Amino acid sequence: MKPFTRFAYAALLVPMVLSGPLSSSVLAQESKPREAQINVSGEGETAVAPDMAILSLTVLQQAETAEAALTANNAAMRNVVGALRERGVEEKDIQTSEFQIFPRHEQTDAKDGNSDPGKIVGYQVSNALTVRVRDLSKLGALLDQSVKLGVNEGGQISFTNDNPEAALTEARKKAVAQALAKAKTLTEAAGVKLGRIIEMSENSVRPMAQPMMRMAMAKEMAGDSVPVAAGESTYTVTVNVTFALQQ
């Protein structure tokens, strides 16, 4: 067996010397008591009158050929877009959201468990618009005229605010105030003092879209403007706050 040289012996001693301080440092960190904490949540809500509506308007046309269906759809859509612009809707607030063209098949009975799409009997073209209406006083008349000019499928209508930051700021303040009140109540009941804020996070919820009547139904009401009630838009903010506790 080859004897150790003095260099090899020194190399063996190095990790032994270094391991002492490192081990004591790790043990000190592990033995340090964890800071006492409390986690609470608060919710704030603000309701404001909306100043903008977002519409989904669809023109659907059917014909024996794809070309004829497309031609009819284009003509109706041009009339709708023209009417929107005449009523003050800016070009930037009109956007194509969907376009589809597909064949229509003759309905046939399935044979031997195998489905048969049947022969093509025509074509269908669908063109959808997303429209932002910033003058709500024109909304009912705009819907009515759109139906008369060719809109025959309804999507959704949602009321919102062009700049909701003021409403969200107010909701945030209410949420934080509620969280702080909860924390104070809990700590006073437990006989401890509330310390610094360790962590805070939020989750905001904006108004959900509201279902709109189908345009085919609205068409039966042609002659009078479609009645529309904007109501209020409710903005909700939830905050989670972690506080330290003073023992």
Side-chain angles (χ1 to χ4, degrees), residues 48-53 136-137 139 157-160 210 227-234:
V48 294
D51 58 19
M52 182 171 66
L136 296 184
S137 65
L139 184 56
I157 178 171
S158 61
F159 293 98
T160 185
Q210 303 171 18
V228 177
E232 288 185 325
S233 296
T234 301

PDB file of all heavy atoms in Angstrom, residues 48-53 136-137 139 157-160 210 227-234:
ATOM      1  N   VAL A  48     -70.963  51.129 -10.919  1.00  0.00           N
ATOM      2  CA  VAL A  48     -71.041  52.391 -11.641  1.00  0.00           C
ATOM      3  C   VAL A  48     -71.877  52.204 -12.902  1.00  0.00           C
ATOM      4  O   VAL A  48     -71.993  51.084 -13.423  1.00  0.00           O
ATOM      5  CB  VAL A  48     -69.645  52.923 -12.024  1.00  0.00           C
ATOM      6  CG1 VAL A  48     -68.844  53.289 -10.789  1.00  0.00           C
ATOM      7  CG2 VAL A  48     -68.888  51.899 -12.849  1.00  0.00           C
ATOM      8  N   ALA A  49     -72.435  53.295 -13.393  1.00  0.00           N
ATOM      9  CA  ALA A  49     -73.205  53.232 -14.635  1.00  0.00           C
ATOM     10  C   ALA A  49     -72.252  53.019 -15.806  1.00  0.00           C
ATOM     11  O   ALA A  49     -71.218  53.680 -15.905  1.00  0.00           O
ATOM     12  CB  ALA A  49     -73.991  54.522 -14.824  1.00  0.00           C
ATOM     13  N   PRO A  50     -72.544  52.072 -16.708  1.00  0.00           N
ATOM     14  CA  PRO A  50     -71.664  51.845 -17.864  1.00  0.00           C
ATOM     15  C   PRO A  50     -71.737  52.993 -18.853  1.00  0.00           C
ATOM     16  O   PRO A  50     -72.739  53.715 -18.915  1.00  0.00           O
ATOM     17  CB  PRO A  50     -72.215  50.553 -18.470  1.00  0.00           C
ATOM     18  CG  PRO A  50     -73.657  50.544 -18.072  1.00  0.00           C
ATOM     19  CD  PRO A  50     -73.708  51.178 -16.716  1.00  0.00           C
ATOM     20  N   ASP A  51     -70.673  53.164 -19.612  1.00  0.00           N
ATOM     21  CA  ASP A  51     -70.661  54.205 -20.648  1.00  0.00           C
ATOM     22  C   ASP A  51     -70.361  53.632 -22.030  1.00  0.00           C
ATOM     23  O   ASP A  51     -70.170  54.367 -22.987  1.00  0.00           O
ATOM     24  CB  ASP A  51     -69.658  55.303 -20.300  1.00  0.00           C
ATOM     25  CG  ASP A  51     -68.239  54.777 -20.117  1.00  0.00           C
ATOM     26  OD1 ASP A  51     -67.951  53.662 -20.591  1.00  0.00           O
ATOM     27  OD2 ASP A  51     -67.425  55.475 -19.496  1.00  0.00           O
ATOM     28  N   MET A  52     -70.337  52.291 -22.139  1.00  0.00           N
ATOM     29  CA  MET A  52     -70.058  51.670 -23.432  1.00  0.00           C
ATOM     30  C   MET A  52     -70.681  50.281 -23.486  1.00  0.00           C
ATOM     31  O   MET A  52     -70.739  49.588 -22.474  1.00  0.00           O
ATOM     32  CB  MET A  52     -68.543  51.584 -23.662  1.00  0.00           C
ATOM     33  CG  MET A  52     -68.158  51.001 -25.019  1.00  0.00           C
ATOM     34  SD  MET A  52     -66.372  51.147 -25.377  1.00  0.00           S
ATOM     35  CE  MET A  52     -65.696  50.063 -24.130  1.00  0.00           C
ATOM     36  N   ALA A  53     -71.155  49.899 -24.669  1.00  0.00           N
ATOM     37  CA  ALA A  53     -71.697  48.555 -24.894  1.00  0.00           C
ATOM     38  C   ALA A  53     -70.884  47.866 -25.978  1.00  0.00           C
ATOM     39  O   ALA A  53     -70.432  48.503 -26.930  1.00  0.00           O
ATOM     40  CB  ALA A  53     -73.163  48.619 -25.311  1.00  0.00           C
ATOM     41  N   LEU A 136     -74.658  55.257 -25.552  1.00  0.00           N
ATOM     42  CA  LEU A 136     -75.687  54.274 -25.213  1.00  0.00           C
ATOM     43  C   LEU A 136     -77.090  54.744 -25.573  1.00  0.00           C
ATOM     44  O   LEU A 136     -77.994  53.910 -25.705  1.00  0.00           O
ATOM     45  CB  LEU A 136     -75.613  53.944 -23.722  1.00  0.00           C
ATOM     46  CG  LEU A 136     -74.314  53.260 -23.258  1.00  0.00           C
ATOM     47  CD1 LEU A 136     -74.401  52.894 -21.784  1.00  0.00           C
ATOM     48  CD2 LEU A 136     -74.021  52.015 -24.092  1.00  0.00           C
ATOM     49  N   SER A 137     -77.281  56.034 -25.752  1.00  0.00           N
ATOM     50  CA  SER A 137     -78.611  56.531 -26.122  1.00  0.00           C
ATOM     51  C   SER A 137     -79.008  56.082 -27.527  1.00  0.00           C
ATOM     52  O   SER A 137     -80.186  56.066 -27.880  1.00  0.00           O
ATOM     53  CB  SER A 137     -78.640  58.063 -26.040  1.00  0.00           C
ATOM     54  OG  SER A 137     -77.768  58.645 -27.009  1.00  0.00           O
ATOM     55  N   LEU A 139     -78.184  53.011 -28.741  1.00  0.00           N
ATOM     56  CA  LEU A 139     -78.047  51.555 -28.814  1.00  0.00           C
ATOM     57  C   LEU A 139     -79.309  50.861 -29.323  1.00  0.00           C
ATOM     58  O   LEU A 139     -79.244  49.997 -30.203  1.00  0.00           O
ATOM     59  CB  LEU A 139     -77.671  51.015 -27.428  1.00  0.00           C
ATOM     60  CG  LEU A 139     -77.402  49.515 -27.334  1.00  0.00           C
ATOM     61  CD1 LEU A 139     -76.308  49.095 -28.305  1.00  0.00           C
ATOM     62  CD2 LEU A 139     -77.014  49.149 -25.908  1.00  0.00           C
ATOM     63  N   ILE A 157     -74.331  40.881 -25.697  1.00  0.00           N
ATOM     64  CA  ILE A 157     -74.170  42.295 -25.434  1.00  0.00           C
ATOM     65  C   ILE A 157     -73.632  42.425 -24.018  1.00  0.00           C
ATOM     66  O   ILE A 157     -74.119  41.764 -23.099  1.00  0.00           O
ATOM     67  CB  ILE A 157     -75.500  43.071 -25.586  1.00  0.00           C
ATOM     68  CG1 ILE A 157     -75.288  44.550 -25.259  1.00  0.00           C
ATOM     69  CG2 ILE A 157     -76.610  42.480 -24.729  1.00  0.00           C
ATOM     70  CD1 ILE A 157     -76.492  45.423 -25.593  1.00  0.00           C
ATOM     71  N   SER A 158     -72.604  43.218 -23.858  1.00  0.00           N
ATOM     72  CA  SER A 158     -72.059  43.450 -22.528  1.00  0.00           C
ATOM     73  C   SER A 158     -71.866  44.940 -22.327  1.00  0.00           C
ATOM     74  O   SER A 158     -71.479  45.659 -23.253  1.00  0.00           O
ATOM     75  CB  SER A 158     -70.737  42.707 -22.327  1.00  0.00           C
ATOM     76  OG  SER A 158     -69.774  43.145 -23.257  1.00  0.00           O
ATOM     77  N   PHE A 159     -72.197  45.399 -21.146  1.00  0.00           N
ATOM     78  CA  PHE A 159     -72.015  46.801 -20.799  1.00  0.00           C
ATOM     79  C   PHE A 159     -70.759  46.933 -19.953  1.00  0.00           C
ATOM     80  O   PHE A 159     -70.514  46.152 -19.042  1.00  0.00           O
ATOM     81  CB  PHE A 159     -73.232  47.323 -20.032  1.00  0.00           C
ATOM     82  CG  PHE A 159     -74.478  47.393 -20.854  1.00  0.00           C
ATOM     83  CD1 PHE A 159     -75.430  46.383 -20.795  1.00  0.00           C
ATOM     84  CD2 PHE A 159     -74.692  48.454 -21.708  1.00  0.00           C
ATOM     85  CE1 PHE A 159     -76.578  46.438 -21.573  1.00  0.00           C
ATOM     86  CE2 PHE A 159     -75.834  48.528 -22.485  1.00  0.00           C
ATOM     87  CZ  PHE A 159     -76.781  47.513 -22.422  1.00  0.00           C
ATOM     88  N   THR A 160     -69.973  47.935 -20.275  1.00  0.00           N
ATOM     89  CA  THR A 160     -68.724  48.127 -19.560  1.00  0.00           C
ATOM     90  C   THR A 160     -68.394  49.616 -19.504  1.00  0.00           C
ATOM     91  O   THR A 160     -69.210  50.456 -19.873  1.00  0.00           O
ATOM     92  CB  THR A 160     -67.590  47.341 -20.258  1.00  0.00           C
ATOM     93  OG1 THR A 160     -66.398  47.442 -19.477  1.00  0.00           O
ATOM     94  CG2 THR A 160     -67.333  47.861 -21.659  1.00  0.00           C
ATOM     95  N   GLN A 210     -73.565  39.869 -20.683  1.00  0.00           N
ATOM     96  CA  GLN A 210     -74.947  39.471 -20.469  1.00  0.00           C
ATOM     97  C   GLN A 210     -75.543  38.945 -21.774  1.00  0.00           C
ATOM     98  O   GLN A 210     -75.336  39.529 -22.835  1.00  0.00           O
ATOM     99  CB  GLN A 210     -75.774  40.664 -19.976  1.00  0.00           C
ATOM    100  CG  GLN A 210     -75.217  41.286 -18.700  1.00  0.00           C
ATOM    101  CD  GLN A 210     -75.910  42.573 -18.350  1.00  0.00           C
ATOM    102  OE1 GLN A 210     -76.997  42.854 -18.837  1.00  0.00           O
ATOM    103  NE2 GLN A 210     -75.282  43.363 -17.512  1.00  0.00           N
ATOM    104  N   PRO A 227     -85.861  47.804 -26.834  1.00  0.00           N
ATOM    105  CA  PRO A 227     -85.656  48.351 -25.489  1.00  0.00           C
ATOM    106  C   PRO A 227     -84.404  47.774 -24.857  1.00  0.00           C
ATOM    107  O   PRO A 227     -84.181  46.570 -24.870  1.00  0.00           O
ATOM    108  CB  PRO A 227     -86.914  47.899 -24.738  1.00  0.00           C
ATOM    109  CG  PRO A 227     -87.386  46.695 -25.471  1.00  0.00           C
ATOM    110  CD  PRO A 227     -87.019  46.898 -26.909  1.00  0.00           C
ATOM    111  N   VAL A 228     -83.552  48.644 -24.312  1.00  0.00           N
ATOM    112  CA  VAL A 228     -82.294  48.230 -23.709  1.00  0.00           C
ATOM    113  C   VAL A 228     -82.143  48.906 -22.355  1.00  0.00           C
ATOM    114  O   VAL A 228     -82.356  50.105 -22.224  1.00  0.00           O
ATOM    115  CB  VAL A 228     -81.092  48.618 -24.609  1.00  0.00           C
ATOM    116  CG1 VAL A 228     -79.787  48.244 -23.927  1.00  0.00           C
ATOM    117  CG2 VAL A 228     -81.198  47.934 -25.961  1.00  0.00           C
ATOM    118  N   ALA A 229     -81.810  48.122 -21.337  1.00  0.00           N
ATOM    119  CA  ALA A 229     -81.568  48.657 -19.998  1.00  0.00           C
ATOM    120  C   ALA A 229     -80.114  48.378 -19.628  1.00  0.00           C
ATOM    121  O   ALA A 229     -79.695  47.225 -19.544  1.00  0.00           O
ATOM    122  CB  ALA A 229     -82.502  48.005 -18.978  1.00  0.00           C
ATOM    123  N   ALA A 230     -79.336  49.434 -19.417  1.00  0.00           N
ATOM    124  CA  ALA A 230     -77.900  49.281 -19.157  1.00  0.00           C
ATOM    125  C   ALA A 230     -77.591  48.881 -17.724  1.00  0.00           C
ATOM    126  O   ALA A 230     -76.617  48.183 -17.463  1.00  0.00           O
ATOM    127  CB  ALA A 230     -77.173  50.581 -19.497  1.00  0.00           C
ATOM    128  N   GLY A 231     -78.427  49.323 -16.780  1.00  0.00           N
ATOM    129  CA  GLY A 231     -78.187  48.975 -15.381  1.00  0.00           C
ATOM    130  C   GLY A 231     -76.863  49.519 -14.875  1.00  0.00           C
ATOM    131  O   GLY A 231     -76.454  50.633 -15.217  1.00  0.00           O
ATOM    132  N   GLU A 232     -76.166  48.747 -14.061  1.00  0.00           N
ATOM    133  CA  GLU A 232     -74.875  49.142 -13.514  1.00  0.00           C
ATOM    134  C   GLU A 232     -73.835  48.052 -13.765  1.00  0.00           C
ATOM    135  O   GLU A 232     -74.169  46.873 -13.838  1.00  0.00           O
ATOM    136  CB  GLU A 232     -74.968  49.402 -12.005  1.00  0.00           C
ATOM    137  CG  GLU A 232     -75.699  50.670 -11.635  1.00  0.00           C
ATOM    138  CD  GLU A 232     -75.648  50.942 -10.147  1.00  0.00           C
ATOM    139  OE1 GLU A 232     -75.687  49.968  -9.365  1.00  0.00           O
ATOM    140  OE2 GLU A 232     -75.573  52.119  -9.769  1.00  0.00           O
ATOM    141  N   SER A 233     -72.591  48.474 -13.890  1.00  0.00           N
ATOM    142  CA  SER A 233     -71.469  47.535 -14.009  1.00  0.00           C
ATOM    143  C   SER A 233     -70.820  47.426 -12.632  1.00  0.00           C
ATOM    144  O   SER A 233     -70.483  48.438 -12.020  1.00  0.00           O
ATOM    145  CB  SER A 233     -70.450  48.022 -15.037  1.00  0.00           C
ATOM    146  OG  SER A 233     -71.020  48.072 -16.324  1.00  0.00           O
ATOM    147  N   THR A 234     -70.653  46.197 -12.151  1.00  0.00           N
ATOM    148  CA  THR A 234     -70.084  45.976 -10.831  1.00  0.00           C
ATOM    149  C   THR A 234     -68.663  45.439 -10.953  1.00  0.00           C
ATOM    150  O   THR A 234     -68.428  44.430 -11.610  1.00  0.00           O
ATOM    151  CB  THR A 234     -70.938  44.988 -10.022  1.00  0.00           C
ATOM    152  OG1 THR A 234     -72.263  45.515  -9.903  1.00  0.00           O
ATOM    153  CG2 THR A 234     -70.359  44.787  -8.624  1.00  0.00           C
TER     154      THR A 234
END
